[in-house]
Amino acid sequence: MSTRTAKIVSTPTAKVPWWTGLDRSHWNAMLGSWLGWALDGFDFILITYVLTNIATTFHVSLAAAGTLVLAAFATRWLGGAVLGSMADRLGRKKAMIVGILVYSIATFMCGLSWSYWSLLGFRLLVGFGMGGEYSAGTTLLLETWPARMRNKASGFLVSGWAVGGMLASLVYAPIVTNFGWRALFFVGILPAFLAIYVRRTLSETPEFTAAMDNATATQPKVSFFQLFSRRWLPMTITMFVMMFASFGMNWPILSLLPTYLKTIGYTPGAVGHFMFIASFGALLGYWFSGFLADWIGIRWAFVSTLLVSLGFVALTFLVAGLGSGVVLGILLFALEFTNLGITGLFPKYITDHFGVEVRAAGLGVTYNLGAIAGGLSPILGALLGGAIGLGPAIGVLTLFWTFVTMIIIGFRIPARVAARRVDAVQPFQERRVSVE
């Protein structure tokens, strides 16, 4: 009897595109949330271009006008608390719509302000709405996309803020030159139309719907208060410190670099070009961060990228005063690609550490309380700059807070805090979401 041997030939498996499995509902969620971030960045950056105009109109000092920027930072946490709790109770979609309407209408009203104090009041409302939109919109997207794709979703989402800032830089000159500074805020009503899109196309997230179906009558109704319970307070404090450090490492550059470049001889036009290059670097860095996290893990993505950024921080401020615009542009691109771009992973990183019942409030409160460091950065930079010079001050603040951020993430402090929690409802292993 003859026997035949079959030769088994292995054929390479076709590489599946990373977006396989995403349908229209996923992309609608991305578009709606991304536009929220883009228009958030657009509205937030607008006022930084017209501070001198405002100071002249209302006869206040430039320092007083500068507090209008801090005002929006100061109320973002409150918006995150109130509208984040609304998102945890009534749904991500409803809270997102409210946040968009609040900040877009308040931005429009800034253009109608009749005094410095009325403008300050409207700016407080702008911050409230932005903080709420951030917590609800971010949670909506990350709970809608599959868990294996959420690193990328987080990076793509945050890139909207960079696009909004770039858009603001493009419309500033033609609008203010032809129509005055107030018209710039009238453009800020555009996000209100996004609320219509969200209302018509987005659905509530499956995770939230399932959590509401399983909710008990004794469960607290306001998730903000749960953040101060024994279960969640350690994590809330840890995430706040981490985000304070993150804003502390990014905002000395974002808020003071234009001023520094002017003091060393660059024209306003050249400064604008440098900042556009830096913003473009951040945009690509946001996109890249999600892919890097999938390749080497989110913890090592943070640590390795921030380590590289330290070199670019030192080189940037060593080269800035030497007069080589080409080299400075390349370094600014690389600096923001690394130091700012990697922060695109923070929405994913934070939501991984909060349960669905407190996720929107936890994200909104910790992120936006940490954002206060952004409002303090110009003050700290100016004070330190008086002693050692503005350029070195920016570098020192950036280096210090970068090290703090690396320590918190590199030593897995949030994961250690979670492991010590006595009555954790869902251990990280059961959620199948990597926080490493």
Side-chain angles (χ1 to χ4, degrees):
M1 185 170 85
S2 63
T3 60
R4 293 182 180 179
T5 59
K7 186 177 181 180
I8 301 175
V9 179
S10 62
T11 57
T13 304
K15 187 176 181 180
V16 178
W18 67 263
W19 57 83
T20 300
L22 296 177
D23 57 27
R24 167 166 273 188
S25 66
H26 297 120
W27 290 114
N28 281 338
M30 172 60 76
L31 180 60
S33 300
W34 185 91
L35 285 172
W37 270 74
L39 295 170
D40 178 335
F42 178 80
D43 277 12
F44 196 84
I45 294 297
L46 287 181
I47 198 166
T48 65
Y49 289 103
V50 293
L51 290 178
T52 54
N53 307 73
I54 291 170
T56 301
T57 299
F58 294 127
H59 307 291
V60 297
S61 67
L62 188 58
T67 60
L68 297 170
V69 178
L70 180 59
F73 274 114
T75 52
R76 286 181 70 104
W77 75 271
L78 184 60
V82 175
L83 296 183
S85 295
M86 176 183 176
D88 287 330
R89 183 65 182 174
L90 302 178
R92 314 329 193 179
K93 177 179 173 179
K94 292 184 179 69
M96 182 179 177
I97 291 173
V98 172
I100 292 170
L101 290 176
V102 169
Y103 82 67
S104 58
I105 294 173
T107 299
F108 180 85
M109 292 303 296
C110 287
L112 299 177
S113 55
W114 54 92
S115 67
Y116 168 80
W117 294 107
S118 64
L119 180 55
L120 180 65
F122 293 134
R123 287 294 296 171
L124 292 171
L125 286 175
V126 168
F128 180 91
M130 287 181 173
E133 188 279 330
Y134 169 84
S135 60
T138 301
T139 307
L140 184 147
L141 172 66
L142 294 178
E143 289 182 351
T144 300
W145 273 46
R148 66 182 177 85
M149 299 182 184
R150 289 178 185 176
N151 286 327
K152 295 182 179 71
S154 185
F156 291 151
L157 174 66
V158 180
S159 72
W161 205 89
V163 172
M166 295 164 68
L167 180 61
S169 69
L170 293 176
V171 304
Y172 156 66
I175 290 180
V176 173
T177 301
N178 293 292
F179 304 104
W181 67 266
R182 293 179 183 273
L184 200 60
F185 291 102
F186 295 151
V187 179
I189 195 64
L190 291 177
F193 296 99
L194 174 61
I196 300 174
Y197 171 85
V198 173
R199 176 69 180 84
R200 291 173 61 89
T201 63
L202 301 192
S203 302
E204 195 49 74
T205 72
E207 286 186 37
F208 173 80
T209 302
M212 289 300 98
D213 291 341
N214 297 325
T216 63
T218 59
Q219 183 174 315
K221 297 183 184 299
V222 182
S223 55
F224 171 68
F225 297 134
Q226 295 183 61
L227 298 179
F228 300 95
S229 66
R230 183 184 177 189
R231 180 196 300 179
W232 293 113
L233 181 59
M235 185 62 70
T236 300
I237 294 173
T238 302
M239 288 298 169
F240 159 68
V241 173
M242 182 185 73
M243 290 316 305
F244 192 94
S246 173
F247 277 90
M249 77 177 181
N250 295 142
W251 272 85
I253 295 173
L254 292 174
S255 61
L256 292 172
L257 184 61
T259 300
Y260 170 66
L261 293 177
K262 291 176 185 177
T263 63
I264 60 175
Y266 287 101
T267 66
V271 171
H273 290 147
F274 282 131
M275 296 310 295
F276 187 89
I277 292 170
S279 296
F280 187 65
L283 173 65
L284 297 185
Y286 290 139
W287 291 345
F288 179 72
S289 65
F291 291 90
L292 182 63
D294 283 345
W295 292 335
I296 64 176
I298 195 168
R299 176 165 66 115
W300 289 112
F302 269 114
V303 173
S304 61
T305 304
L306 290 178
L307 272 174
V308 172
S309 78
L310 294 176
F312 291 128
V313 172
L315 286 173
T316 296
F317 291 99
L318 285 174
V319 169
L322 300 180
S324 177
V326 174
V327 175
L328 179 58
I330 293 172
L331 287 173
L332 285 174
F333 176 92
L335 173 59
E336 293 301 83
F337 181 90
T338 53
N339 191 265
L340 186 57
I342 196 63
T343 63
L345 293 173
F346 272 124
K348 162 68 162 49
Y349 191 82
I350 297 173
T351 54
D352 279 351
H353 290 85
F354 284 108
V356 64
E357 74 277 10
V358 297
R359 185 170 292 153
L363 174 65
V365 170
T366 58
Y367 185 95
N368 290 302
L369 268 179
I372 293 176
L376 294 175
S377 291
I379 301 171
L380 294 175
L383 291 174
L384 186 58
I388 64 174
L390 185 57
I394 297 173
V396 167
L397 289 173
T398 303
L399 289 170
F400 173 76
W401 289 114
T402 299
F403 274 116
V404 174
T405 305
M406 288 172 54
I407 289 171
I408 293 173
I409 297 175
F411 286 96
R412 302 176 62 247
I413 293 178
R416 295 174 188 273
V417 170
R420 293 170 61 90
R421 201 166 63 225
V422 177
D423 54 348
V425 176
Q426 286 182 297
F428 291 149
Q429 295 88 347
E430 293 179 6
R431 279 196 270 148
R432 301 179 55 138
V433 178
S434 171
V435 295
E436 296 294 316

